[in-house]
Amino acid sequence: MKVQWQVIVGIIIAILIIVFGTTNMGTVDVQLLFWTVQWPLIVVILGSVVAGILMVYCFNYYKARKKRKGAK
């Protein structure tokens, strides 16, 4: 049952991100160290979401591995 709620909440968050991203179609200046580039805002938003997902996945993987190591 817990997994079903996680999937439902994940789908709702994904829909909100898509709606938010498509309503913000302008370009923004992004500074990358010494360079400044113009990217569509949706690319910046989706890149931030993907980076956040990767960080959460890595943290959960580390936590689960540490827990398994402690159980041995």
Side-chain angles (χ1 to χ4, degrees), residues 33-53:
L33 295 177
F34 304 109
W35 303 280
T36 301
V37 293
Q38 284 191 340
W39 283 344
L41 187 57
I42 192 167
V43 172
V44 176
I45 292 170
L46 291 178
S48 299
V49 169
V50 169
I53 289 170

Side-chain angles (χ1 to χ4, degrees), residues 8-19:
I8 292 170
V9 170
I11 290 171
I12 291 171
I13 290 172
I15 290 170
L16 289 173
I17 290 169
I18 291 170
V19 169

Side-chain angles (χ1 to χ4, degrees), residues 4-70:
Q4 289 176 341
W5 282 107
Q6 290 175 341
V7 170
I8 292 170
V9 170
I11 290 171
I12 291 171
I13 290 172
I15 290 170
L16 289 173
I17 290 169
I18 291 170
V19 169
F20 182 71
T22 55
T23 57
N24 293 298
M25 294 297 290
T27 58
V28 292
D29 291 334
V30 179
Q31 292 184 342
L32 302 169
L33 295 177
F34 304 109
W35 303 280
T36 301
V37 293
Q38 284 191 340
W39 283 344
L41 187 57
I42 192 167
V43 172
V44 176
I45 292 170
L46 291 178
S48 299
V49 169
V50 169
I53 289 170
L54 287 174
M55 285 191 288
V56 168
Y57 176 76
C58 290
F59 178 74
N60 285 338
Y61 176 77
Y62 172 75
K63 199 163 89 172
R65 185 173 174 178
K66 190 175 179 182
K67 189 175 184 180
R68 272 187 272 138
K69 210 173 198 181

